[in-house]
Amino acid sequence: MRILVVNPNTTASMTDKIAAACMRVAAPGTEIVAVNPLDGPPSIEGYFDEVFAVPGLIAEMRKAPDMDAYVIACFDDTGLDAARCITDAPVIGIGEAAFHMASLVAGRFGVVTTLARSVPAIEHNLGKYGLATRCARVRASEVPVLELERPGSQAYHAISAEIARAIADDHAEAIVLGCAGMTDLADRLSSEHGLPVLDGVACAVKLTEGLVSLGARTSKLGGYASPRSKSFAGLFAPASP
Amino acid sequence: MRILVVNPNTTASMTDKIAAACMRVAAPGTEIVAVNPLDGPPSIEGYFDEVFAVPGLIAEMRKAPDMDAYVIACFDDTGLDAARCITDAPVIGIGEAAFHMASLVAGRFGVVTTLARSVPAIEHNLGKYGLATRCARVRASEVPVLELERPGSQAYHAISAEIARAIADDHAEAIVLGCAGMTDLADRLSSEHGLPVLDGVACAVKLTEGLVSLGARTSKLGGYASPRSKSFAGLFAPASP
Amino acid sequence: MRILVVNPNTTASMTDKIAAACMRVAAPGTEIVAVNPLDGPPSIEGYFDEVFAVPGLIAEMRKAPDMDAYVIACFDDTGLDAARCITDAPVIGIGEAAFHMASLVAGRFGVVTTLARSVPAIEHNLGKYGLATRCARVRASEVPVLELERPGSQAYHAISAEIARAIADDHAEAIVLGCAGMTDLADRLSSEHGLPVLDGVACAVKLTEGLVSLGARTSKLGGYASPRSKSFAGLFAPASP
Amino acid sequence: MRILVVNPNTTASMTDKIAAACMRVAAPGTEIVAVNPLDGPPSIEGYFDEVFAVPGLIAEMRKAPDMDAYVIACFDDTGLDAARCITDAPVIGIGEAAFHMASLVAGRFGVVTTLARSVPAIEHNLGKYGLATRCARVRASEVPVLELERPGSQAYHAISAEIARAIADDHAEAIVLGCAGMTDLADRLSSEHGLPVLDGVACAVKLTEGLVSLGARTSKLGGYASPRSKSFAGLFAPASP
Amino acid sequence: MRILVVNPNTTASMTDKIAAACMRVAAPGTEIVAVNPLDGPPSIEGYFDEVFAVPGLIAEMRKAPDMDAYVIACFDDTGLDAARCITDAPVIGIGEAAFHMASLVAGRFGVVTTLARSVPAIEHNLGKYGLATRCARVRASEVPVLELERPGSQAYHAISAEIARAIADDHAEAIVLGCAGMTDLADRLSSEHGLPVLDGVACAVKLTEGLVSLGARTSKLGGYASPRSKSFAGLFAPASP
Amino acid sequence: MRILVVNPNTTASMTDKIAAACMRVAAPGTEIVAVNPLDGPPSIEGYFDEVFAVPGLIAEMRKAPDMDAYVIACFDDTGLDAARCITDAPVIGIGEAAFHMASLVAGRFGVVTTLARSVPAIEHNLGKYGLATRCARVRASEVPVLELERPGSQAYHAISAEIARAIADDHAEAIVLGCAGMTDLADRLSSEHGLPVLDGVACAVKLTEGLVSLGARTSKLGGYASPRSKSFAGLFAPASP
């Protein structure tokens, strides 16, 4: 089984970290191919950055049309709906992956993400997925995405402090880490706080493996129907939609 | 007052129709500037097309930074959240414009849009805006967007038939037309069916005029904060985010 | 265009303040006629006062049947549903006006109103309009309505303090002022706190102007159907329902 | 125990029918006093009629301040919130009474009311009470209120037909009769259709008896706080609020 | 009228207290029969204990098939749905009883229960009943169930302190006591805090009396249909389902 | 990895079918142990049967405390909350498993279950899990559970017909099969109808494998806390809770 994991930002160190996280949990027969676009924002922090990341994400998927499944490794699930239109293979966002997995081990989970500006997009996703009632609260640690890549960063402590508040004040029973760049922190945070801490990257790998094993395909009825054929120009324009 | 109305698809005849609709309802002191990107999809029908329309939409807004307000003339409110990040002038999508206006003249409205594939995106918007409970149902007429541009099209009749069903079966008390290309049909449909029929293009002009008159600005707290400065390449990449 | 603005309480100084607020934002061709009933409560603070204000409100509307639109200048939107039954011109409450406008410039707004006893009615309206999910919280400043009319009042400071809490604790991105008597405070509060502060009186004027320009009428299907003819006595009884 | 049952319309034959229904179910020690205002609409069919019924309803309650509890015998629960402000005795609307009782004997109930114009007000109440999810659908029989008073009326058959549809199409497991004037039809309809059919008048008597026995009082915290003292003129104006 | 009140735990002193509470509020003609299973958990604190209490509860009901109504005297409404399947007499849980009664005397109520582990089950019930929006918050006093039975316990003070917080922080307008063992504390807590404090045991008696007087039966359409005949072994297995 | 799959009814042929379905999708290293209680109902059709199945389910889990994960192979997710209390290994119900997986491949899914009496329990679960908005409708095929075990049964055709209606009338984009006994029909139904058809048994195996690989444990904060130690008698009573 081959899974394409697309980090939709252009920061290669983050792609490497994501790839490592995927491989740690991948089943023996699973091949992980982790990529990122060459063009686009180096990190995705809010609605604006998302826009410029999605064409590159779609382009990466188009370059690898024979994959068994696709993972979008940005917690906003950037471009997820569009990505599902161009394939009937499973496509999973790491945000939704973590929300669904957390819902299976706890009655109510909290989310700890990077910047406050990213909170509304996450809340909208929770509402759209139907899981808003399972989420106690989305909290911002005010750690920027790329600070997670910096050696010597104090990010762990800021995130850990926010988890403590989520447990005490929001009665969170599990924690979802709200950024792909936090994938290497989950185990240590879980041990420290004594509750499940879920990283969406790892969750997404297991969910895509599961869906592929089941033979489940993305439905082509409704919103994920294959795009109608249209010719248009532009850097990211589809060669053959 | 100058309002930039961006048709995010590349079909110039549709931009012209939208411009005419805007001018019909604009107040005396309002100048309407209607544009469309040169690159991108000729029509927006579902999640996939949206992705390729938004960079061009943002580019058009960046070319005209001194406008008093911006209207996004696609019923999916394509790129609305991102667009709000780059300005503190009001930015209104024609979908939300019609939903809010319909909520002021009826207890419950129905939506009649183009293709079934566009229904989920509209339903998600209604949920996100909070107005899902005001909407009786989103119905597809199965008229493609560009069919609305074709002389001799039978689109009117298909839409009218769907409105009749919305009244009889869904108890809709007003109708929202779910495509910018239907803007010229609203009055005739309202007369035929004896209930308010709202076109988002016209609604958006009046709402932006109103917000500008009030001096209301897009909030920079939360999700619409100005983008953090990032340099990245690509055709549509921001020169100075 | 002629808009009848009814202050449903009997305090003439408040009617004057409301009229001034309307005129500040009215378009050149708009004539504002501001009235209040002669009989009824001098202020509306909660469910009980509402009851006695509505017959007078309806009577004022009946005296001016040729208006192009009607505004109900009480933040509870007192009598709004009944008022919509007696005309097919647009009728807008200042509460709903502010909620809808705030939803167009912010993801989430807070409301700061007068007394705690008024909070439940406002919350019910938000639920009924569908916009409860857009509202972070309704806060009471514990400033009575008529204190807003008293020269030398400390009302501004109490309201400002509550706005500060709405931003810090509720993550409000815009503020809706929850009383017609606060209409003159919006601009100063907006400057002080650096976020949009919306006054429903001004919002309602622009929304009614917009609806009239669009030719939108109140739907007569459903709950706003014209009243069935009934003869009954009593001071406020309709002459010709 | 003395319960004042106020029919808020002026039709004495309906008040008599309501009184009889109350007495059929009242406990031995319960005294029912059934009244109606002299002034106001002869029937309440929608938002407009409600307005003119409430001052008379409040006046009737004020004439009998020593009652142990109050019932508002109109299915719209007309004036319920205001009525709760002027007493700390329990005040029950027949609509809410039936909704709560139906929720105790069935997973999901249907409502069959009089005219389509009354449906939105009932739906709003269900939302406000929190019980919208328990209601399968509110159906209109298109039987006007006073037709229920006419000897030889075909109302029974129209209502029965609508119940059959509620069972077959909406999967209703119990039926709530949506008008005080239907109080004498409940038993026959229940036998005919083989499911619980609840009449709000009878339900309200038992709920008020229950609350009085428990010593439960209407809370004076929040929206039902006693009205602030205000002097104002008008036919129905409170002598001593 | 004979009501079987089943305390589904095996603590006889608690059954006695429940019986006394029932008799205090029962109408003259009502006979209360209070029982508990011989086998099963001595207290019900969370999901696990519930499982082992329900077969005994059902067995107690089967021993008394001629009762006019049944009350399940555990605040989790343990086994309520199953119990409704085996009779068409009314069956009321004390949790739902208190929620419905509180909804009739206050806009918003708070719940104060025993242990934090019981909170999710109560929240699920509120959601299922439709009354989640009426509940400000479910609070745990961290008083175990059987501590309420211990002479000299400090339970009253812990509960009272939590009520104070519910009023101040959650704006609760009434309080629901979240355990059958708190039934003797309601009056004193109501006096101390000046708001309605509802005990589900007493509420359930009055609601069952009411439903029996009305002749209302549990619906056999839908989920409460009589069990299909099945033979199976086991201690609690039904003799004749 | 060892997964205990408990069929909570006593029908061994169904346990065999479930075991086969698990093995078809299990990963190479996964050992499936499928069991059923000896005592209890032969099928679970509604609330009543659930009660008598859960003690046996818990007993089976206690007999195998060293498993890596547990699956409850009844679509009602019978006893799921209680089961989670006695282990910190993952415990997955097949209903929730299918709902979550369907949410990853379609915007909206339909459920086709056995008898109408089982629909409310499924709807309650959907509400509790938060996924009610993702479900278009729960439909009953009126095929009893054990009919699915009978050679020569017409069950396939009844289920297939209901799927056709779910697509046409409810706009379902994927189908969830609402009974463990349907596990062998999924592939054929998916081929016939051209959309994803999900069987909860298979979904649960993949989700438990995933959670175990991730090292995710059931949270012991909140409702799934380990049971407090209590001694009580009875056939199914816990030896050491």
Side-chain angles (χ1 to χ4, degrees):
Chain A
M1 184 187 317
R2 299 172 74 220
I3 301 175
L4 184 75
V5 179
V6 188
N7 168 17
N9 74 37
T10 58
T11 300
S13 68
M14 200 160 151
T15 309
D16 293 345
K17 195 200 301 186
I18 289 166
C22 292
M23 287 167 198
R24 264 198 304 276
V25 300
T30 300
E31 180 186 348
I32 299 290
V33 181
V35 297
N36 60 256
L38 296 184
D39 287 339
S43 62
I44 300 177
E45 294 167 317
Y47 295 124
F48 180 81
D49 296 340
E50 286 187 31
V51 163
F52 298 97
V54 183
L57 158 73
I58 297 290
E60 293 301 322
M61 287 179 62
R62 285 184 177 281
K63 285 184 209 161
D66 298 334
M67 291 285 170
D68 293 296
Y70 301 84
V71 168
I72 300 177
C74 175
F75 195 76
D76 289 352
D77 294 346
T78 314
L80 176 60
D81 288 320
R84 282 192 177 136
C85 293
I86 61 165
T87 178
D88 65 353
V91 185
I92 304 290
I94 65 168
E96 61 173 354
F99 300 147
H100 285 285
M101 284 302 212
S103 298
L104 295 170
V105 294
R108 183 183 306 205
F109 58 84
V111 178
V112 177
T113 190
T114 52
L115 303 181
R117 68 177 59 214
S118 293
V119 172
I122 295 170
E123 291 175 337
H124 286 152
N125 281 351
L126 283 162
K128 183 174 155 185
Y129 302 154
L131 296 171
T133 55
R134 302 300 294 273
C135 178
R137 185 164 161 194
V138 182
R139 288 176 168 272
S141 63
E142 297 305 344
V143 174
V145 171
L146 295 184
E147 178 68 9
L148 293 162
E149 303 304 296
R150 195 176 61 77
S153 149
Q154 295 297 304
Y156 179 89
H157 302 290
I159 294 164
S160 180
E162 211 61 44
I163 290 176
R165 282 188 279 270
I167 296 169
D169 296 353
D170 312 338
H171 301 288
E173 301 165 19
I175 296 294
V176 166
L177 294 180
C179 180
M182 298 176 182
T183 187
D184 52 341
L185 309 178
D187 290 349
R188 187 174 157 205
L189 288 163
S190 178
S191 297
E192 181 183 343
H193 291 285
L195 85 177
V197 175
L198 291 132
D199 156 49
V201 174
C203 291
V205 170
K206 302 316 290 182
L207 285 171
T208 47
E209 285 180 348
L211 289 166
V212 171
S213 296
L214 297 174
R217 315 295 291 167
T218 297
S219 179
K220 295 287 112 180
L221 303 181
Y224 302 139
S226 300
R228 304 182 76 216
S229 181
K230 290 171 193 183
S231 61
F232 58 95
L235 183 58
F236 297 120
S240 54
Chain B
M1 184 188 314
R2 299 173 74 221
I3 301 175
L4 185 75
V5 179
V6 188
N7 168 19
N9 74 38
T10 58
T11 299
S13 68
M14 201 162 150
T15 310
D16 293 344
K17 195 200 301 185
I18 289 165
C22 292
M23 287 167 198
R24 265 198 305 276
V25 301
T30 300
E31 180 186 348
I32 299 290
V33 181
V35 297
N36 59 256
L38 295 184
D39 287 340
S43 62
I44 301 177
E45 294 166 319
Y47 295 122
F48 181 80
D49 297 340
E50 286 188 30
V51 163
F52 298 96
V54 183
L57 158 73
I58 297 290
E60 293 300 321
M61 287 179 62
R62 285 183 178 279
K63 286 185 209 162
D66 298 333
M67 289 285 168
D68 292 295
Y70 301 84
V71 168
I72 300 176
C74 176
F75 195 77
D76 289 351
D77 294 348
T78 313
L80 175 60
D81 288 321
R84 281 190 176 139
C85 293
I86 60 165
T87 178
D88 65 353
V91 185
I92 304 290
I94 65 168
E96 61 172 355
F99 301 147
H100 285 285
M101 285 304 212
S103 297
L104 295 170
V105 294
R108 183 183 306 207
F109 58 84
V111 177
V112 177
T113 189
T114 52
L115 303 182
R117 69 177 58 212
S118 293
V119 171
I122 295 169
E123 291 175 338
H124 285 153
N125 281 350
L126 282 162
K128 183 174 156 187
Y129 302 155
L131 296 172
T133 55
R134 302 300 294 273
C135 178
R137 185 166 163 192
V138 182
R139 288 176 167 272
S141 64
E142 297 306 342
V143 174
V145 171
L146 295 183
E147 178 69 9
L148 293 162
E149 302 305 296
R150 194 176 61 78
S153 149
Q154 294 298 304
Y156 180 88
H157 301 291
I159 295 163
S160 180
E162 211 60 43
I163 289 175
R165 283 187 279 269
I167 297 169
D169 295 353
D170 312 337
H171 300 289
E173 301 165 18
I175 297 294
V176 165
L177 294 179
C179 179
M182 299 175 182
T183 187
D184 52 340
L185 309 178
D187 289 351
R188 187 174 156 205
L189 289 163
S190 178
S191 296
E192 182 183 342
H193 291 284
L195 86 176
V197 176
L198 291 130
D199 155 49
V201 175
C203 291
V205 170
K206 302 317 290 181
L207 285 171
T208 48
E209 285 180 349
L211 289 166
V212 172
S213 296
L214 296 173
R217 315 295 290 166
T218 297
S219 179
K220 294 289 112 180
L221 303 181
Y224 302 140
S226 300
R228 304 182 77 217
S229 181
K230 291 171 191 180
S231 60
F232 57 95
L235 183 59
F236 298 119
S240 54
Chain C
M1 183 190 315
R2 299 173 74 220
I3 301 175
L4 184 75
V5 179
V6 186
N7 168 18
N9 74 36
T10 57
T11 300
S13 68
M14 200 161 151
T15 310
D16 293 346
K17 195 201 300 187
I18 290 166
C22 292
M23 287 166 198
R24 264 198 304 276
V25 300
T30 300
E31 180 186 349
I32 299 291
V33 181
V35 298
N36 60 256
L38 295 184
D39 287 340
S43 61
I44 300 177
E45 293 166 319
Y47 295 123
F48 180 80
D49 296 341
E50 285 188 32
V51 163
F52 298 96
V54 183
L57 158 74
I58 297 290
E60 292 301 320
M61 286 180 62
R62 285 183 177 281
K63 285 184 209 162
D66 297 334
M67 289 285 168
D68 292 297
Y70 300 84
V71 168
I72 300 177
C74 176
F75 195 76
D76 290 350
D77 294 347
T78 314
L80 175 61
D81 288 321
R84 281 193 176 135
C85 294
I86 61 167
T87 178
D88 67 353
V91 185
I92 304 289
I94 65 168
E96 62 172 354
F99 300 147
H100 285 285
M101 285 302 213
S103 297
L104 294 169
V105 293
R108 184 183 305 206
F109 58 83
V111 177
V112 177
T113 190
T114 52
L115 303 182
R117 69 177 58 213
S118 293
V119 171
I122 294 169
E123 290 176 338
H124 285 152
N125 280 350
L126 282 161
K128 182 174 156 186
Y129 302 155
L131 296 172
T133 55
R134 303 299 295 273
C135 178
R137 184 165 162 194
V138 182
R139 288 176 167 272
S141 63
E142 297 305 342
V143 175
V145 171
L146 296 183
E147 178 68 10
L148 293 162
E149 302 304 297
R150 194 177 61 78
S153 148
Q154 294 298 303
Y156 180 88
H157 301 291
I159 294 164
S160 180
E162 210 61 44
I163 290 175
R165 283 188 278 269
I167 297 169
D169 295 353
D170 312 338
H171 301 288
E173 301 165 19
I175 297 294
V176 166
L177 295 180
C179 179
M182 298 176 183
T183 188
D184 52 341
L185 309 178
D187 289 352
R188 188 175 157 203
L189 289 163
S190 179
S191 297
E192 182 183 343
H193 291 285
L195 85 176
V197 176
L198 290 132
D199 155 49
V201 174
C203 291
V205 169
K206 301 317 290 181
L207 284 172
T208 46
E209 285 179 350
L211 289 167
V212 171
S213 296
L214 296 174
R217 316 294 292 167
T218 297
S219 179
K220 294 289 112 181
L221 303 180
Y224 303 140
S226 299
R228 305 183 75 216
S229 182
K230 290 172 192 181
S231 61
F232 57 95
L235 182 59
F236 297 119
S240 54
Chain D
M1 184 188 318
R2 298 173 73 221
I3 301 174
L4 184 75
V5 179
V6 187
N7 168 19
N9 75 36
T10 57
T11 299
S13 68
M14 201 161 150
T15 310
D16 293 345
K17 195 200 302 187
I18 290 166
C22 292
M23 287 168 198
R24 264 198 304 276
V25 299
T30 300
E31 179 186 349
I32 300 290
V33 181
V35 298
N36 60 256
L38 296 183
D39 286 339
S43 62
I44 300 178
E45 293 166 320
Y47 296 122
F48 180 80
D49 296 340
E50 285 187 30
V51 164
F52 298 97
V54 183
L57 158 73
I58 297 290
E60 293 301 321
M61 287 179 62
R62 286 183 176 281
K63 284 184 208 161
D66 298 333
M67 289 287 169
D68 292 297
Y70 300 84
V71 168
I72 301 177
C74 175
F75 195 76
D76 289 352
D77 294 347
T78 313
L80 175 61
D81 288 320
R84 282 192 176 137
C85 294
I86 61 167
T87 179
D88 66 353
V91 185
I92 304 289
I94 65 168
E96 61 173 356
F99 300 148
H100 285 285
M101 284 303 212
S103 298
L104 295 170
V105 293
R108 183 183 306 205
F109 59 83
V111 177
V112 178
T113 189
T114 52
L115 304 182
R117 68 178 57 214
S118 292
V119 171
I122 294 169
E123 291 176 338
H124 285 152
N125 281 350
L126 282 162
K128 184 174 155 185
Y129 302 154
L131 296 171
T133 56
R134 302 300 295 273
C135 178
R137 184 166 163 192
V138 182
R139 288 177 167 271
S141 63
E142 298 304 344
V143 175
V145 171
L146 296 184
E147 178 68 11
L148 293 163
E149 303 304 296
R150 194 177 61 78
S153 149
Q154 294 298 302
Y156 180 88
H157 301 291
I159 294 164
S160 179
E162 210 61 43
I163 289 175
R165 281 188 280 269
I167 297 169
D169 295 354
D170 311 338
H171 301 288
E173 301 165 19
I175 296 294
V176 165
L177 294 180
C179 179
M182 297 175 182
T183 188
D184 52 341
L185 309 178
D187 289 350
R188 187 173 158 206
L189 288 163
S190 178
S191 298
E192 181 183 343
H193 291 284
L195 85 176
V197 175
L198 290 131
D199 155 50
V201 174
C203 291
V205 169
K206 301 317 290 182
L207 285 172
T208 47
E209 285 180 349
L211 289 166
V212 171
S213 296
L214 296 173
R217 315 295 290 167
T218 297
S219 178
K220 295 287 113 181
L221 303 181
Y224 302 139
S226 299
R228 304 183 75 216
S229 181
K230 291 171 192 181
S231 61
F232 57 93
L235 183 58
F236 297 119
S240 55
Chain E
M1 184 188 316
R2 298 174 74 222
I3 301 175
L4 184 75
V5 179
V6 187
N7 168 17
N9 73 37
T10 57
T11 300
S13 68
M14 200 161 151
T15 309
D16 293 345
K17 196 201 301 186
I18 289 166
C22 291
M23 287 167 197
R24 265 198 304 278
V25 300
T30 300
E31 179 186 350
I32 299 290
V33 181
V35 298
N36 59 256
L38 295 185
D39 286 339
S43 62
I44 301 177
E45 293 166 319
Y47 295 123
F48 180 80
D49 296 339
E50 287 188 30
V51 163
F52 297 95
V54 183
L57 158 73
I58 298 290
E60 293 300 321
M61 287 179 62
R62 284 184 177 279
K63 286 186 209 160
D66 298 333
M67 290 285 168
D68 292 296
Y70 301 84
V71 168
I72 300 176
C74 176
F75 196 75
D76 289 351
D77 295 348
T78 313
L80 175 60
D81 287 321
R84 282 193 176 135
C85 294
I86 59 165
T87 177
D88 65 353
V91 184
I92 303 289
I94 66 168
E96 62 172 354
F99 301 147
H100 284 285
M101 284 304 212
S103 297
L104 295 169
V105 294
R108 185 182 307 205
F109 59 84
V111 177
V112 177
T113 189
T114 52
L115 303 182
R117 69 177 58 214
S118 293
V119 171
I122 295 170
E123 291 176 338
H124 285 154
N125 281 350
L126 282 162
K128 184 174 156 186
Y129 302 155
L131 296 172
T133 56
R134 303 300 295 274
C135 178
R137 185 166 162 192
V138 182
R139 287 176 167 273
S141 63
E142 297 305 342
V143 175
V145 170
L146 295 183
E147 178 69 10
L148 293 162
E149 302 305 297
R150 195 176 61 78
S153 150
Q154 294 298 304
Y156 180 88
H157 301 291
I159 294 164
S160 179
E162 211 61 43
I163 289 176
R165 283 188 278 269
I167 296 169
D169 295 354
D170 312 338
H171 301 289
E173 301 165 19
I175 297 294
V176 165
L177 294 180
C179 179
M182 298 176 183
T183 188
D184 52 340
L185 309 178
D187 290 350
R188 187 174 157 205
L189 289 163
S190 179
S191 297
E192 181 183 343
H193 291 284
L195 86 177
V197 175
L198 291 131
D199 155 50
V201 175
C203 291
V205 170
K206 302 316 289 183
L207 284 172
T208 46
E209 286 180 349
L211 288 167
V212 172
S213 296
L214 295 174
R217 315 295 290 168
T218 296
S219 179
K220 294 288 113 181
L221 304 181
Y224 302 139
S226 300
R228 303 183 76 215
S229 181
K230 291 172 192 181
S231 61
F232 57 94
L235 182 59
F236 298 119
S240 55
Chain F
M1 183 188 316
R2 299 173 73 221
I3 302 175
L4 184 75
V5 179
V6 187
N7 168 18
N9 73 38
T10 57
T11 299
S13 68
M14 201 161 151
T15 309
D16 292 345
K17 195 200 302 187
I18 290 167
C22 292
M23 287 167 198
R24 264 198 304 276
V25 300
T30 300
E31 180 187 349
I32 299 290
V33 181
V35 299
N36 60 255
L38 294 184
D39 287 339
S43 62
I44 301 177
E45 295 166 318
Y47 296 122
F48 180 81
D49 296 339
E50 286 188 30
V51 163
F52 297 96
V54 183
L57 158 73
I58 298 290
E60 293 300 322
M61 288 179 62
R62 286 184 176 278
K63 285 185 210 161
D66 298 332
M67 290 285 169
D68 293 295
Y70 301 84
V71 168
I72 300 177
C74 175
F75 195 76
D76 289 352
D77 294 347
T78 313
L80 175 60
D81 288 321
R84 283 194 176 134
C85 294
I86 60 165
T87 178
D88 66 353
V91 185
I92 304 289
I94 65 168
E96 62 173 355
F99 301 148
H100 285 284
M101 285 302 212
S103 297
L104 295 170
V105 294
R108 183 182 307 204
F109 58 84
V111 177
V112 177
T113 190
T114 52
L115 304 182
R117 68 177 59 214
S118 292
V119 171
I122 295 169
E123 291 175 338
H124 286 153
N125 281 351
L126 282 162
K128 182 174 157 186
Y129 302 155
L131 296 171
T133 56
R134 302 299 295 273
C135 178
R137 185 165 162 192
V138 182
R139 287 177 168 272
S141 63
E142 297 304 345
V143 174
V145 170
L146 295 184
E147 178 68 10
L148 293 162
E149 303 304 297
R150 193 176 62 76
S153 149
Q154 294 298 303
Y156 180 87
H157 301 292
I159 295 163
S160 180
E162 211 61 44
I163 290 175
R165 282 188 279 270
I167 297 169
D169 295 354
D170 312 339
H171 301 288
E173 300 165 19
I175 296 294
V176 166
L177 294 180
C179 179
M182 298 176 183
T183 188
D184 52 341
L185 309 179
D187 290 350
R188 186 173 158 206
L189 288 164
S190 178
S191 297
E192 181 182 343
H193 291 284
L195 85 176
V197 175
L198 291 131
D199 155 49
V201 174
C203 291
V205 169
K206 301 317 288 183
L207 285 171
T208 47
E209 286 180 348
L211 289 166
V212 171
S213 297
L214 296 174
R217 315 295 290 167
T218 297
S219 179
K220 295 287 111 180
L221 303 181
Y224 302 139
S226 299
R228 305 182 77 216
S229 182
K230 291 172 192 180
S231 61
F232 57 94
L235 182 59
F236 298 119
S240 55

